[in-house]
Every structure is written in C-alpha cells, then in structure tokens.
Amino acid sequence: MAKFPFLFSFLFFALIVSGNHETQRTVISKMVDGVRGKIGAIVDKNSRIGKEESLAMLMAVEDFNNVNDQNFSFVIKDFKNDPNQAALAAEDLISMQQVQVLIGPQTWEAVSVVAKVGSENKIPVLALANDIPKWATERLAFLVQASPSQFNQMRAIAAIIGSWDWRLVNVIYEDGDFSTAEVFSYLEHALKDVGAEISELVSLPQFDSNLLSNELERLRRGPSRVFVVHTSFKFGLHLFQTAKEMGMMEKEYVWITTDSFTSLAHSFNVSVNSLLQGVIGVKSYFPENHPPFRKFYRRFCSRFRIEHSDEYNHEPSIFAVQAYDAVRTAAMAMSRAQGKAHRLFKFIKLADFQGLGGNIQFKDRKLVPANTFQIINVMGRSYRELGFWSVELGFSRELGKNSSTSSSLKDLGPVFWPGGYFETPRGWAIPTDARPLRIGVPTSPMFKQYVNVEGDQIGNNLSFSGLAIDLFKATLDNLCVPLPHKFYAYSGTYDDLVKQIYLKEASASNGIFLFCLSKEFDAAVGDIAIVSTRYEHAEFTHPYSEAGLVMVVPAINNRSNRALLFTKPFTLTMWIVISVVNIYNGFVVWFIERNHGPEPEGSMFSQAGTMLCSSFTTLFSLQGNRLHSNLSRMTMVVWLFVALVITQIYTANLTSMLTIQQLEPTISNIETLRRMNAFVGCGRGSFVKGYLETVLHFSTEAIKNYSTPDGLADALRNQEIAATFLEVPFAKLFLAKFCKEFMISGPTYKVGGFGFAFPRGSLLLPYVNQALLKVSETGRYRKLEDSMIAGEKCEDGEGKDGSPSLSPNSFFLLFVLSAGVSTIALTLYVYNATLKSNLQQNTIWRLMIAVMRKWGNHRRRFSRRVSEEPQTIPNNFPNVENVQSLA
C-alpha cells in the first residue's frame, strides 16, 4: 500500500474534480488577444531533463510561428516530479489557460494522471515517457506517445550481455514504475535468445536508503555480477554512490545503464564520471550531423548557457530533441485543424515529417520504435563511444552501408571495466555465504577403475577414487577461482542421477540454482555418458573420453591355411613381381654369359627350359669368379643385394606370423546376431540397453544386463550371450584384462563420450570446460588413462591382429634398382655386340670381294692357256691330282 501514495491522492483529487466536471466547458481554439491557440506543457523544471525540454519546446513554438507566420502561445507548468501536482497542472492548463494540446511529463506515473484529465476533456496529450503500457492507449482515448518505444533497447542490452556469454543478470529499477512490466518482458525474451536469464529483478525505493543498502548487499552476496540499471538519472546516481561505498564498482562487476540514465551522459561532471568509471551505457541515437540539428544545436547551447549557467554542460540531449519534435507535431496539427477541435487529434495521428530526431510518424498512436542505439563507455573525465547497435546490422563502429558489422560488442575494441581494468569480468562469483557444491557420484559403476566408492553409504566414512574423480579434481585445480565441493554417493541409475540435478534446478528460485539449499545435487561426476535424452535434465562438459559404442565378441585362433602359411609374408602381387624380376635378371645374366658356356641342344622347348632354369639357379649357383663379363657381374651384385634384403624381411615376417597368436571374431556384424536371435549383453543401468532397442533394433528379451566385467566375461565364455556392447573406454579396459579371449568386431557406433553433468544454464560450465581442456592439453588425462589400463594389461600381451602381408609398394625402389641395372647391362651388351657384328661383316665382305677378284683373274688366265693348245675330248674324268691342281 505504501508503494502507491500518489494513487490515493489522485482519487481524492478526482472526487473534487468530478463535482464540477459537468460545469466544465469543452475547450476549443479561441482568439484571445490575437492568439490562435495555446500549447501547454508539464515538466519537472528542477531536473536536467525538464530544463532541456522547457527550452526546446519554447524554441519549437518560436520557430514554427516565425516560419509559418502563426501566433501560437506556449504555457509551461512545473509538476516537481509529483504525479498529484501533474494532475493539478493539467487541470489548470485546460480550464484556466485553455490550452488545446498538452505535452505530457517524462515519467509514466505523471503521464497516466495527465492523460486521464486530458481524455476527460478531449484534449490530446503527447506523452514524452519512453515506456507506455499497451493498455494505456486503449483506455485513454486522447493519449499519444510522442517518444519512440525503447523495446528494441532491450535487445541491444541482451546483445551486449551475449557478447561475453554472461548467463545471469540482475535488473534494478525504481519502485512504482509500472511501465516496466512490458519492458522487462522484452528483456527476458531477448536474454533467452543469447542464452542468459534474469537472476534478480529488484525494485528499489527512491527514499529509503537503508532498504537500498540492504538490497544491494543481498545482490552482492549472490552469484551474478552483471547489473542492468533502468532508472532515472537522479535515482541512478544515488544507486551508484551507494554501490561505490559497498565496493560494488570494483573489478569483476559489470554495470549497464539504459537510455533513461545514459542519455544525460553529456551532462555528467567530473565527479559523476569518476563515480561511473567502467559503466557501459545504451543511449538513443539521433542524427547529430544533419544541418537542421546543427542549427538548433548552436542556438540551444547559447540560450541554455544563459538560462542555466550552473549546469556543467549546455548541449541538448535526446530529451530536448523529442520535446522539440512533439511541440512541432502539435503546432502543425493545430495549424491544419484551423480551430476545429474534433480535427486536431486526427491531424496529430496523421503527422508525417522529418524532425530533429528522425522521421515523425505514428502507428496506433505511438511513435515508430527506435531501432538504432549508441553504446558508450565511461572512462576518465568523460566517456568514449564504442559504436552503435541497430536491429538490422547488430554492432558497428559507424553507421553506413560500408561499415563493418558484428554480432559481438567485443569486436569493436577493448572495453574499460569497473576497477580500472580492460580484462573482461567473468560476470559471476561464488557467493560469500555459499555452501560447498554437492557433487553426486554413482556407487554402482561397472568398471571401478573410473569411479569407486568405498565405505558404508549411510555414514560419513566414504572414500571416492577412480579416474573420473581424479580428473574432476585436476579440473578444479585449473579453475580461476577455488570451488568448495563435497562428494555424495548416489545408488540409483545414471539417468536418475542426472534427473537429481534437474530437480535441484527446478526447486531453485530466480535462477540461482547453483548455490541454493536443496537435498539434490549441484553436479554429477563419474563415467556418465553424454546422450541426448539426458540433455533434457542437465548440461554436460566436453567429453573427456573417447566417444563410441563397440561390439565385443569371443575370439578364436586362426589355424586355417597352415599349409600355405609360408606364402603369407608376401601378397600374391609381391610373389608375382619377385618371380618376374628373378626371371628377367637371370635372363640378362644368361644372355650376357651364353658365349662362354656350352651350346644349347635339343628342341626349342628344351632350350627354353634350360634358359629358365639357368636364370633361376644363377642366383644360387653362379659365383662371381665364373662370370666373364663386367656387365653380368654388375647385374649380379645388385641382384644379390635385393635378394638379401627381401630374404631377411621375408624371414622376419614369417617368424612374426608363426609366433604371434592369430585371432578372429566369432561374429563379424550385428546382422549375424539378429539372424541367430542371439542374446547380447550390456552394463546394468547404462544407456546402452535403450540404444540397442531403439537404434540397433534388438528385442528387449534378447538383452541381458551385467554388473561386473567378470560376470560379462563368464557370460561370453559360457555362451549365455553371443556378444556384448560397451562404450569405447570400457572396451579398452575389458580387452586389456581379457585380451586373449575377446576382441572388438564390427563398426564403432557414434555416441557421446563421458562427461560431468551440471544444471542447465550453469555459470560454472564454461569455466569447467576451459579447465578440462587445459587438463587434456597438458597430457594429464592421457597419463591417468594409461596408468589405469596398464594395471589391467595382459602379461602375455595383446595380439588381436597378425603381421600384415607385404606388398610390392614396400620394395618399389629395390625392384626399380635391380631391374634398372639389369636393363642397363643388357642394353650395353647388345650395343657392343652390334658394333662387333658390324665390324666383322665389313671385314668378311672385303675378303670375299678380294677372293672373287683373284678368282676372276685366275680364270681368265686359265682360259687363254687352254685355247692355245689342241683340244682333246677325253673319254674319262681327269684324275684327282689334275682336279686338285685346277682348284
């Protein structure tokens, strides 16, 4: 009841007014001493806003009269920031001053009563309050909002908060400001879009300093360090002074002010700026470089300096601009109405012109919402402009088509924060009166190496160990702040454990779910698989283990094809290449050395067989001292080197195959399991059972649960189940212990790894993730995992896979070397043989020519001797001696 004193005063005033309401006359435009009409205004002359508005409205009337040759008068009433006084001022302006239009006050409390008086008298009221409830224009028929709605400003504030991923925000506003309900509704939705929420929505009284201090102390003890201040300048200044005294303007605090406070930043003196160091402000934007405003700016500064010499700064703000445009709107409508009251309100709603603050146009009796805001940062003796935010572009350094834009304020440059730091605050802190975090730990894990809870579970003598516990402690050691915590055993399923975090979140109020008192848990640590269904109840850190689900089946020794085991060291292609290279090299050596051996005898096939046998046996039987050609010796040296290397590698690979146990899976894929209608196993309480049913389509009856690795191994040995499905980290441990009996078969199914669970929207989660990454990057997690697996490693070692067969790719250079040298030797031999053959042919040809010439000469001489002697024809052939002499 104490929050609404002005309402009771207004009701009393309404009773008085209602008594003579019927005697009041409807005010229309009248000619009084040559005046065509009057414009009334209600302002708080003691405030900076009121001073600027008064001068701006007076200048607007003067400018309109001078330009349009009109004779409108202007009357101002001071309501001293009291709604009751505003109602009285409105009644006086209407009944006594006979104004045709009222320019309303800056606050909604004063506007509401002024608009009621104006509507009863059918006098348009142009309100300068930024935030007017939606219902106001429906109930108050003559109310027009002459200042742009600031709803988009809430989106700008949310974008600032989202730039640094702050999760919780405290919002402070003045008690009695009933227009904030819709504004904060917009802010709440805008914050959700960036993953944040309102932690505390605090209404502070204007005149109770003790209550103000108590509320700030309560907020100081809370987790959020981000504050949004939506107050008037006077009250905001008092708020910051109190916060300064309480140490809340230091490092790690974030303060963001809205337009109602920030738009007067130009009027801050040095003492105010020193108080507001590091504050980020959002203020309305208007085109300050346009010629009409520059002209208005010079005249306003000159007159304001004369009339208010006590003010620190004489520049006009957005409030002066809006007041100037409101009076101009009223004057233009009055000029068009020509004294007809029923047309005046219509022409006000139809206004459409370019004012000092931008385009003036009304929709549903409200000025078009502002969509561009300026972001400032108080630093030093004044403030600096960080940039702009607009609905269309987001953040930008400048406004224009060619300006670069960003969705984050931090991309516009460094920000100066409270306490004199450029380092971005975390936005949260552990409350001073917070108890240690309650960490839930599962007590029935399948693999104790990850989580092991020992001791009685009803007392306090519990010990927690395992890889997950050690990793969580190492992660906390890397946090930027110490985090008190305590482990609590939980004997339910993993899904129920995650739901306990959700129940804690649901039982918290105002979003402070990390530190409120509850019987449930603040987080859960263990071998908790990250699956989508659990995200409904909690959020998880990044996976700290390898992700995936595999099928483990019994393994059998591979004793098939033992007769051909000697061929396994090399692939078939390798054997073919070895044979070809052997034959080729043997042929080259045989071909070069063939003239030094016996001539081949027999048929063609017999000779070919002799050549192939020689080419193969040359490598083993032919010694270097039996080779006659250097070319064949060169070929043989390279050939022997390659043969030696291949022989040694073959021997090593064959030895490995003979000594290492060869294992093969009994089942290669899940299709075989389905055809067999076989039973499969999984860990009790794990998500795997649901995955097998919904994804891999195993029937519920075919799935058996086991609580220990030994029980699972016995079931596989006894053929109770044909296969088991384990997460990859568990499969590593299981095979490390039973490496000679079981093996992984089939593909790896993609599922989330293990992680730590926190409440949704947890402030800690981003920092825990960062610390967890540090632990992984330093190799600490790998050491913990290797140490855990080493304790389970088989003494005989693993050996699931045998040595692979070698292909020609492994010996490519050797084969090229051998074949290349043989080819070179063969080429040189053929070339030399060709040269010798050509030389011999030339010699024989010359010899034959000489013999033929000699034989021809001898024949001619013989013919002449015979012709000179008498011819006698013998009856018999001549004797042998004569024939030989002829020859």
Side-chain angles (χ1 to χ4, degrees):
M1 300 292 288
K3 295 182 178 181
F4 313 106
F6 72 94
L7 290 179
F8 296 101
S9 300
F10 175 75
L11 291 175
F12 177 76
F13 167 78
L15 290 175
I16 298 175
V17 173
S18 61
N20 59 0
H21 173 67
E22 293 183 357
T23 63
Q24 294 177 355
R25 49 186 176 165
T26 302
V27 180
I28 61 175
S29 179
K30 291 184 177 182
M31 291 290 185
V32 180
D33 298 330
V35 177
R36 293 188 56 189
K38 286 185 179 180
I39 300 174
I42 302 174
V43 300
D44 179 10
K45 290 186 176 181
N46 294 324
S47 67
R48 170 69 188 225
I49 294 177
K51 295 176 181 178
E52 290 190 14
E53 289 176 340
S54 299
L55 178 57
M57 288 188 285
L58 181 59
M59 292 175 60
V61 173
E62 294 173 353
D63 292 345
F64 188 85
N65 288 337
N66 293 334
V67 173
N68 298 280
D69 193 22
Q70 299 290 336
N71 194 17
F72 294 130
S73 65
F74 179 62
V75 182
I76 299 178
K77 290 289 185 178
D78 183 8
F79 78 105
K80 298 180 175 59
N81 199 28
D82 184 355
N84 296 326
Q85 292 292 327
L88 293 174
E91 181 64 26
D92 180 72
L93 288 171
I94 294 174
S95 61
M96 302 302 296
Q97 302 293 334
Q98 299 182 359
V99 298
Q100 293 176 270
V101 178
L102 282 176
I103 308 298
Q106 185 68 32
T107 64
W108 162 242
E109 292 77 10
V111 167
S112 62
V113 293
V114 170
K116 182 175 179 60
V117 174
S119 297
E120 291 174 349
N121 291 274
K122 298 182 180 181
I123 298 298
V125 176
L126 275 67
L128 295 176
N130 289 333
D131 305 310
I132 293 179
K134 184 178 181 180
W135 57 264
T137 53
E138 298 174 355
R139 298 181 184 179
L140 303 172
F142 283 79
L143 175 62
V144 177
Q145 182 176 342
S147 61
S149 170
Q150 299 296 305
F151 289 154
N152 286 330
Q153 179 186 188
M154 300 300 108
R155 295 176 59 184
I157 292 173
I160 295 174
I161 294 170
S163 298
W164 286 278
D165 296 323
W166 294 317
R167 297 297 186 92
L168 290 183
V169 182
N170 295 325
V171 179
I172 300 175
Y173 67 100
E174 289 184 64
D175 186 15
D177 188 356
F178 303 107
S179 65
T180 57
E182 290 187 40
V183 174
F184 294 149
S185 177
Y186 272 79
L187 177 61
E188 183 179 12
H189 286 87
L191 288 175
K192 286 183 178 180
D193 292 339
V194 298
E197 62 179 309
I198 297 177
S199 171
E200 292 279 356
L201 188 60
V202 182
S203 173
L204 296 178
Q206 296 185 9
F207 308 107
D208 194 336
S209 298
N210 292 331
L211 184 57
L212 172 62
S213 300
N214 294 337
E215 287 294 320
L216 287 180
E217 177 62 24
R218 186 176 64 85
L219 295 177
R220 189 179 68 86
R221 293 179 178 273
S224 177
R225 290 294 180 267
V226 181
F227 296 86
V228 174
V229 178
H230 184 65
T231 65
S232 64
F233 172 73
K234 183 178 180 180
F235 180 74
L237 195 60
H238 178 51
L239 169 68
F240 282 112
Q241 289 174 343
T242 306
K244 179 77 171 180
E245 296 171 357
M246 298 177 62
M248 298 177 67
M249 298 296 294
E250 302 298 329
K251 185 179 180 182
E252 296 301 336
Y253 283 88
V254 178
W255 292 89
I256 303 173
T257 58
T258 61
D259 173 76
S260 57
F261 183 91
T262 313
S263 288
L264 290 176
H266 66 286
S267 66
F268 296 169
N269 55 34
V270 177
S271 61
V272 173
N273 283 321
S274 64
L275 177 66
L276 302 177
Q277 292 293 295
V279 171
I280 293 179
V282 179
K283 60 182 295 189
S284 296
Y285 166 78
F286 57 92
E288 299 182 13
N289 295 325
H290 285 190
F293 175 78
R294 298 308 303 172
K295 182 178 180 181
F296 167 79
Y297 174 86
R298 290 190 294 270
R299 294 169 49 231
F300 182 92
C301 291
S302 177
R303 295 180 60 172
F304 195 86
R305 184 181 296 106
I306 296 173
E307 296 180 14
H308 305 285
S309 58
D310 57 324
E311 290 290 338
Y312 176 75
N313 186 285
H314 308 105
E315 298 176 354
S317 68
I318 184 65
F319 303 110
V321 171
Q322 292 174 355
Y324 185 95
D325 288 339
V327 170
R328 189 178 173 192
T329 301
M332 292 176 66
M334 292 169 64
S335 177
R336 295 178 63 186
Q338 298 180 351
K340 298 179 180 179
H342 64 279
R343 301 179 61 186
L344 176 59
F345 188 58
K346 174 183 175 182
F347 286 124
I348 289 177
K349 294 187 294 181
L350 294 177
D352 187 3
F353 66 94
Q354 193 68 26
L356 294 181
N359 186 43
I360 304 300
Q361 190 176 15
F362 296 97
K363 182 179 181 181
D364 297 330
R365 287 188 283 152
K366 290 186 177 183
L367 203 61
V368 176
N371 58 6
T372 303
F373 299 89
Q374 190 175 21
I375 313 300
I376 67 170
N377 183 206
V378 180
M379 178 180 177
R381 298 174 62 89
S382 183
Y383 64 88
R384 61 192 184 109
E385 299 175 354
L386 296 178
F388 301 89
W389 182 91
S390 63
V391 176
E392 298 82 6
L393 303 177
F395 291 102
S396 59
R397 291 184 182 276
E398 298 177 354
L399 293 177
K401 296 182 179 180
N402 298 326
S403 60
S404 59
T405 62
S406 173
S407 60
S408 176
L409 178 60
K410 61 184 178 182
D411 293 335
L412 302 186
V415 177
F416 185 76
W417 302 103
Y421 295 90
F422 284 97
E423 181 182 356
T424 303
R426 293 193 308 269
W428 64 275
I430 299 175
T432 56
D433 56 352
R435 57 162 178 78
L437 293 184
R438 296 173 58 89
I439 309 297
V441 180
T443 59
S444 56
M446 187 173 187
F447 290 85
K448 300 293 185 181
Q449 295 89 339
Y450 272 89
V451 179
N452 188 22
V453 181
E454 296 180 344
D456 60 281
Q457 299 184 10
I458 59 174
N460 297 322
N461 299 322
L462 296 178
S463 62
F464 300 86
S465 60
L467 182 143
I469 301 299
D470 295 338
L471 180 63
F472 183 73
K473 292 179 179 179
T475 301
L476 296 186
D477 291 339
N478 282 272
L479 282 178
C480 50
V481 293
L483 188 65
H485 62 280
K486 187 175 181 180
F487 294 114
Y488 292 86
Y490 184 76
S491 57
T493 65
Y494 285 78
D495 288 339
D496 290 338
L497 175 59
V498 175
K499 289 179 181 178
Q500 294 301 311
I501 302 175
Y502 172 75
L503 293 175
K504 178 175 180 61
E505 176 184 347
S507 66
S509 61
N510 293 330
I512 311 179
F513 47 80
L514 274 179
F515 308 103
C516 69
L517 296 177
S518 177
K519 64 179 181 180
E520 290 85 23
F521 303 124
D522 298 300
V525 171
D527 50 346
I528 305 172
I530 303 174
V531 292
S532 59
T533 55
R534 293 174 182 172
Y535 259 100
E536 298 175 3
H537 305 103
E539 290 187 46
F540 292 86
T541 61
H542 298 312
Y544 64 78
S545 68
E546 187 176 352
L549 182 70
V550 295
M551 179 175 67
V552 178
V553 299
I556 58 174
N557 290 328
N558 180 15
R559 301 187 180 278
S560 62
N561 298 326
R562 299 293 289 182
L564 298 178
L565 183 62
F566 72 93
T567 64
K568 296 298 183 181
F570 294 150
T571 62
L572 177 61
T573 305
M574 180 67 179
W575 284 117
I576 294 174
V577 172
I578 290 176
S579 301
V580 171
V581 172
N582 254 345
I583 293 172
Y584 179 69
N585 288 340
F587 168 77
V588 171
V589 174
W590 169 83
F591 187 80
I592 295 174
E593 297 289 334
R594 73 185 189 284
N595 294 329
H596 302 286
E599 290 292 332
E601 298 179 355
S603 64
M604 181 181 299
F605 291 103
S606 177
Q607 294 181 22
T610 302
M611 184 193 69
L612 290 175
C613 181
S614 174
S615 66
F616 183 76
T617 58
T618 299
L619 179 63
F620 306 99
S621 61
L622 192 61
Q623 303 297 324
N625 55 6
R626 295 180 57 185
L627 297 177
H628 300 81
S629 173
N630 287 332
L631 294 176
S632 60
R633 294 188 184 102
M634 178 179 67
T635 301
M636 182 58 66
V637 168
V638 176
W639 190 12
L640 287 174
F641 170 74
V642 174
L644 178 63
V645 173
I646 293 177
T647 301
Q648 295 298 321
I649 294 177
Y650 171 85
T651 303
N653 205 22
L654 180 60
T655 302
S656 174
M657 290 183 174
L658 291 173
T659 55
I660 295 179
Q661 185 181 23
Q662 303 296 301
L663 300 177
E664 287 187 353
T666 55
I667 297 174
S668 58
N669 52 62
I670 62 171
E671 286 76 14
T672 304
L673 289 174
R674 295 197 192 101
R675 288 196 302 268
M676 296 168 52
N677 292 324
F679 290 98
V680 295
C682 64
R684 188 180 303 277
S686 170
F687 80 96
V688 177
K689 183 177 185 295
Y691 187 88
L692 294 177
E693 294 174 351
T694 58
V695 180
L696 301 184
H697 306 295
F698 285 95
S699 63
T700 305
E701 296 76 13
I703 303 173
K704 294 186 177 183
N705 299 319
Y706 297 89
S707 301
T708 63
D710 292 333
L712 197 59
D714 292 339
L716 288 169
R717 294 190 192 103
N718 301 331
Q719 298 184 358
E720 293 179 12
I721 57 176
T724 183
F725 288 85
L726 297 172
E727 294 99 315
V728 171
F730 287 164
K732 289 182 178 181
L733 275 175
F734 186 78
L735 295 180
K737 185 175 183 180
F738 306 105
C739 59
K740 300 176 69 175
E741 299 181 72
F742 311 105
M743 63 183 300
I744 294 175
S745 178
T748 299
Y749 301 97
K750 187 64 176 179
V751 296
F754 297 153
F756 306 138
F758 285 84
R760 296 185 62 83
S762 170
L763 296 173
L764 288 172
L765 188 58
Y767 301 94
V768 173
N769 274 328
Q770 184 180 6
L772 186 59
L773 287 176
K774 291 180 181 179
V775 175
S776 300
E777 291 171 355
T778 57
R780 178 70 183 279
Y781 172 74
R782 179 59 58 189
K783 292 179 180 178
L784 292 173
E785 187 181 43
D786 292 344
S787 176
M788 176 185 65
I789 295 177
E792 302 293 332
K793 195 170 185 180
C794 285
E795 295 181 358
D796 295 336
E798 300 182 10
K800 181 188 69 171
D801 297 324
S803 300
S805 300
L806 299 176
S807 67
N809 294 333
S810 304
F811 305 94
F812 177 76
L813 292 179
L814 291 176
F815 286 139
V816 171
L817 175 64
S818 178
V821 172
S822 298
T823 302
I824 293 172
L826 180 61
T827 303
L828 293 177
Y829 175 78
V830 172
Y831 179 75
N832 291 333
T834 303
L835 290 178
K836 289 181 181 180
S837 176
N838 293 335
L839 182 60
Q840 290 177 358
Q841 289 179 0
N842 293 335
T843 303
I844 292 173
W845 180 252
R846 288 195 297 270
L847 181 61
M848 290 177 62
I849 293 176
V851 171
M852 292 176 64
R853 287 177 178 176
K854 185 176 180 180
W855 182 75
N857 294 333
H858 177 72
R859 184 177 180 182
R860 286 193 295 270
R861 288 195 302 269
F862 177 76
S863 299
R864 285 194 297 269
R865 285 196 304 268
V866 172
S867 63
E868 293 174 357
E869 294 179 359
Q871 298 292 325
T872 302
I873 299 174
N875 295 324
N876 299 316
F877 288 105
N879 55 25
V880 177
E881 289 81 3
N882 292 332
V883 174
Q884 290 177 351
S885 65
L886 287 173

